Amino acid sequence: MKKLNNEIEYFLYARKSSESDDRQVQSIDDQIDRLKEYASRVGIKIKKVFIEAKSAKLPGNRPVFAEMMEGIKAGKAQGILCWQINRLSRNPVDGGMISWMLQQGIIKSIQTTEREYKPEDNTLLLSVETGMANQFIIDLKKNVRRGMDGKAQRGEYPTKPPLGYKNDRLNKTIVSDEERLPMIKKMWDMLLSGNYRPPMIVKIVNEEWGFRTPRTPKGGDKEISKSTIYKLFNNIFYAGVFEWHGEILQGNHRAIITLDEYDKAQRILGKKGKPRFSKHEHAYTGEIQCEECGCLHTASLKSKVLSNGESKSYGYYYCTRRKKNLNCSQTGKLTTQELENQIDAELKKCQIHPRFLQWALDYLQERKEVDFENKSTIREQQEATYNKIQGELSNLSKMLYKELISEEEFLSMRDDLRSQSAKVKSALDNTENESAKWLELTQEFFQFSAYARDRFNDPEATAQEKKAIFRALGWNFSIKDKVLRISKHKWIETVENEYPSLEKRITALELDKNLAVTERTKQISMIRLDWCAYRDSNSN
């Protein structure tokens, strides 16, 4: 077993989280015992042991970890001994602090049972591994959220059901609590009769029925409280549906009241009731502000009876005027059709003919081939420079070993070469990525200009599609006096300013019947060149 630098004093850090992703790691006691045994074998001096049972997913959540890091900054120890690197961090804030302190030499060593991280050779590896720990948390959260959303869409309530229902863990469904649900049904009947108020129902349920909540590992087996009875009567779950992320979904569980009865109960309680299923979705709510007061515009659906007796629904957008002590004169309402007419007018300004789209894509393909050759040459030069610097670093270490240079000279020259190496490596990594990203964004830009307006006006376009097209026009959307204003993206403005003259030139050529084929071809080629030149100026 290789002996480590015995001049460094270490803090031993042992952590266990209650989160599910950490349940399989060594327990704290087991971590400490094994780490002390390991320290004895490799000659590590343990200055102090820090123990913590907190999750590392969020920064600022671990007081013991913070105390340890302050101790290192104060010079009380120079190293950290831990079971695995993810014991120290699972978030980018703490991970970045650890990497920075290691790079600066404040932390001279981080030792795990698998490897040692030093300032001079493992900071990149440390960053990668702490990043992987953070990404694990992000991916886990996404997967859990996706699974819960999928369950909700299938009618399966994703979390713990309310009183009167319970989870069937074997079949992974929600079933009725046959002991309590019949009594809860009677509670609803009493409220709906109009003869009983919630406090009266609580008294009858507890004193006469002997109702008790389900026993749980942390408690339960208690009387029903006033807050619980109000929460019960406000829960639409008992009507066979449930609310998930602001949406009302049909559930697979047994209903004990109807939706109409639920609404009646809310009126008895002095409330308006929950919203029903609605096929109509307002595409632009949450996107547009009132230019005068800064409040968001909201939308509502109203019905109007026509002269022929039919009923027709109209969407209206208007300022919420929710800010207190602020007088807003914007009381007018803008219909959805009026708003979309204004959006369509903005889309028309940046619309290009498919012919110009094809010219742009052809030119991009030509540029891609040229760029590939140029980037290959640049990349070869960068790789040669990077390899040369690595060789110089290796030779520098040999010169120090042979005492051809002083340690002070070595450190100065080494830092300089490392700085050069980092710059070349960064440029090497970005050379191809930037080119690919530039091509992708430019293609998306032209495709949007060619087809966005047609899709926006397609009767089958969804509200989400219309919202995405609307957002692509720019940012800072506002309305004043029923007029929409947009802070447009630079490329949108460039199309509006440059494209119309090119479109007029190509239209004039098509209308001119006197031009010879060769002259027409020449003129079209000139327009194509101007269009490509415009594309280059737009991409910069």
Side-chain angles (χ1 to χ4, degrees):
M1 176 68 68
K2 180 181 177 182
K3 292 287 183 178
L4 300 179
N5 184 352
N6 56 15
E7 295 181 357
I8 298 177
E9 293 183 308
Y10 287 78
F11 284 153
L12 188 158
Y13 182 74
R15 178 183 69 84
K16 185 180 186 300
S17 171
S18 59
E19 306 296 330
S20 60
D21 53 282
D22 283 330
R23 286 177 182 166
Q24 301 303 318
V25 303
Q26 300 287 332
S27 68
I28 288 181
D29 290 340
D30 198 9
Q31 286 182 57
I32 294 173
D33 291 342
R34 289 171 180 261
L35 287 172
K36 284 183 176 179
E37 179 186 351
Y38 177 79
S40 177
R41 290 203 312 268
V42 300
I44 286 179
K45 297 178 182 178
I46 299 176
K47 185 78 175 287
K48 185 177 179 179
V49 177
F50 290 87
I51 300 173
E52 194 153 44
K54 291 277 189 177
S55 170
K57 290 191 295 185
L58 297 175
N61 187 47
R62 294 178 291 160
V64 176
F65 172 79
E67 179 189 349
M68 179 183 71
M69 299 307 290
E70 288 299 320
I72 292 176
K73 291 178 183 177
K76 296 178 180 179
Q78 303 80 41
I80 301 174
L81 174 63
C82 59
W83 184 258
Q84 288 181 328
I85 205 68
N86 62 18
R87 298 299 88 205
L88 293 179
S89 171
R90 281 190 181 274
N91 70 79
V93 175
D94 291 343
M97 177 179 64
I98 293 168
S99 296
W100 177 249
M101 291 175 67
L102 186 66
Q103 290 177 29
Q104 296 302 303
I106 301 171
I107 300 175
K108 299 186 181 300
S109 171
I110 298 177
Q111 180 66 49
T112 71
T113 56
E114 298 174 347
R115 60 169 61 89
E116 182 182 15
Y117 304 85
K118 297 181 179 179
E120 64 269 16
D121 57 5
N122 274 319
T123 52
L124 177 61
L125 180 61
L126 175 66
S127 298
V128 170
E129 293 197 7
T130 54
M132 290 172 62
N134 178 52
Q135 189 62 43
F136 175 82
I137 293 296
I138 294 173
D139 292 342
L140 180 67
K141 183 178 179 180
K142 287 181 179 177
N143 291 336
V144 170
R145 175 65 181 270
R146 183 169 58 247
M148 295 177 76
D149 287 346
K151 288 187 67 175
Q153 293 298 326
R154 294 192 299 271
E156 303 169 12
Y157 193 53
T159 60
K160 182 181 178 181
L163 194 62
Y165 299 88
K166 57 185 179 180
N167 287 313
D168 182 346
R169 299 187 182 278
L170 181 63
N171 298 311
K172 297 183 178 180
T173 58
I174 292 176
V175 297
S176 303
D177 180 349
E178 297 300 339
E179 179 184 349
R180 296 172 180 84
L181 193 61
M183 286 191 281
I184 292 175
K185 175 67 170 74
K186 291 180 181 179
M187 296 180 203
W188 278 96
D189 290 341
M190 292 168 71
L191 178 71
L192 291 168
S193 70
N195 298 323
Y196 299 87
R197 300 295 296 172
M200 297 170 60
I201 297 173
V202 168
K203 186 175 182 180
I204 293 171
V205 166
N206 290 330
E207 296 180 4
E208 297 182 16
W209 299 0
F211 186 93
R212 291 294 183 273
T213 60
R215 184 183 295 277
T216 66
K218 295 184 179 181
D221 193 24
K222 298 178 179 179
E223 293 183 343
I224 193 167
S225 64
K226 288 183 180 179
S227 62
T228 300
I229 200 77
Y230 278 107
K231 187 181 296 185
L232 186 153
F233 289 142
N234 285 326
N235 198 336
I236 200 171
F237 189 91
Y238 295 99
V241 298
F242 59 88
E243 186 174 353
W244 185 250
H245 296 311
E247 186 178 2
I248 303 297
L249 301 174
Q250 182 63 53
N252 297 333
H253 57 279
R254 172 187 168 190
I256 58 173
I257 59 171
T258 66
L259 287 169
D260 288 338
E261 287 175 329
Y262 175 82
D263 271 345
K264 180 181 178 181
Q266 303 315 295
R267 289 192 294 272
I268 291 172
L269 296 172
K271 298 185 178 182
K272 295 180 180 179
K274 291 282 183 177
R276 291 289 177 263
F277 301 98
S278 175
K279 293 183 179 180
H280 187 85
E281 184 177 359
H282 300 288
Y284 315 106
T285 51
E287 302 293 330
I288 306 172
Q289 288 183 320
C290 172
E291 191 170 315
E292 182 174 328
C293 70
C295 294
L296 286 173
H297 269 61
T298 189
S300 61
L301 198 65
K302 294 188 177 181
S303 298
K304 181 179 180 180
V305 179
L306 304 179
S307 57
N308 59 4
E310 294 182 0
S311 178
K312 187 173 182 179
S313 296
Y314 297 88
Y316 292 90
Y317 285 82
Y318 52 93
C319 176
T320 56
R321 306 171 72 191
R322 286 183 177 175
K323 292 185 178 180
K324 296 180 179 179
N325 302 321
L326 186 64
N327 294 322
C328 179
S329 64
Q330 301 296 308
T331 57
K333 296 182 179 180
L334 190 65
T335 67
T336 302
Q337 188 60 56
E338 290 171 336
L339 176 59
E340 292 191 341
N341 287 343
Q342 294 188 48
I343 297 172
D344 177 66
E346 298 299 331
L347 289 169
K348 184 179 180 180
K349 294 177 184 178
C350 66
Q351 186 177 26
I352 65 173
H353 192 280
R355 168 179 48 233
F356 283 83
L357 171 64
Q358 190 57 52
W359 284 354
L361 296 180
D362 290 344
Y363 178 69
L364 285 174
Q365 184 59 36
E366 295 170 8
R367 279 293 306 271
K368 182 179 180 181
E369 295 170 0
V370 173
D371 283 351
F372 180 76
E373 294 178 3
N374 293 338
K375 298 296 182 186
S376 296
T377 303
I378 295 172
R379 189 175 181 83
E380 289 175 4
Q381 294 174 348
Q382 290 172 334
E383 288 176 345
T385 303
Y386 181 77
N387 292 333
K388 180 182 177 183
I389 294 173
Q390 297 306 306
E392 292 177 359
L393 280 168
S394 178
N395 291 332
L396 195 63
S397 298
K398 294 177 182 178
M399 292 172 68
L400 177 65
Y401 177 73
K402 294 179 180 181
E403 298 183 349
L404 298 176
I405 57 175
S406 66
E407 184 172 353
E408 183 178 346
E409 290 174 319
F410 167 77
L411 292 173
S412 175
M413 296 169 68
R414 183 200 64 182
D415 291 345
D416 183 56
L417 287 172
R418 281 185 173 179
S419 177
Q420 295 179 40
S421 176
K423 291 178 181 178
V424 174
K425 184 66 168 62
S426 177
L428 186 63
D429 293 339
N430 291 335
T431 295
E432 197 160 329
N433 291 338
E434 288 181 355
S435 177
K437 184 178 180 180
W438 169 79
L439 284 168
E440 180 183 352
L441 290 174
T442 308
Q443 288 174 347
E444 289 178 357
F445 150 56
F446 283 114
Q447 288 168 345
F448 177 88
S449 296
Y451 300 123
R453 187 186 179 207
D454 291 339
R455 184 55 188 168
F456 184 82
N457 291 305
D458 190 328
E460 296 184 1
T462 65
Q464 290 301 318
E465 287 176 312
K466 289 189 173 186
K467 177 180 286 189
I469 293 171
F470 177 56
R471 283 178 172 175
L473 284 171
W475 71 99
N476 192 24
F477 306 103
S478 63
I479 290 177
K480 185 175 182 180
D481 299 328
K482 297 186 179 182
V483 177
L484 174 67
R485 292 175 174 83
I486 304 172
S487 297
K488 296 178 184 176
H489 293 303
K490 179 182 176 182
W491 60 268
I492 294 286
E493 293 180 340
T494 310
V495 173
E496 292 180 4
N497 296 332
E498 304 293 337
Y499 173 74
S501 61
L502 297 174
E503 176 70 18
K504 287 179 181 178
R505 286 168 60 185
I506 198 71
T507 302
L509 278 177
E510 292 173 344
L511 295 175
D512 190 348
K513 306 299 182 182
N514 298 322
L515 280 179
V517 175
T518 53
E519 180 62 23
R520 188 185 303 275
T521 303
K522 178 182 177 181
Q523 292 294 328
I524 290 176
S525 297
M526 292 177 63
I527 296 173
R528 184 179 184 275
L529 287 173
D530 290 342
W531 172 241
C532 294
Y534 147 70
R535 186 219 57 78
D536 280 336
S537 66
N538 177 69
S539 64
N540 294 327

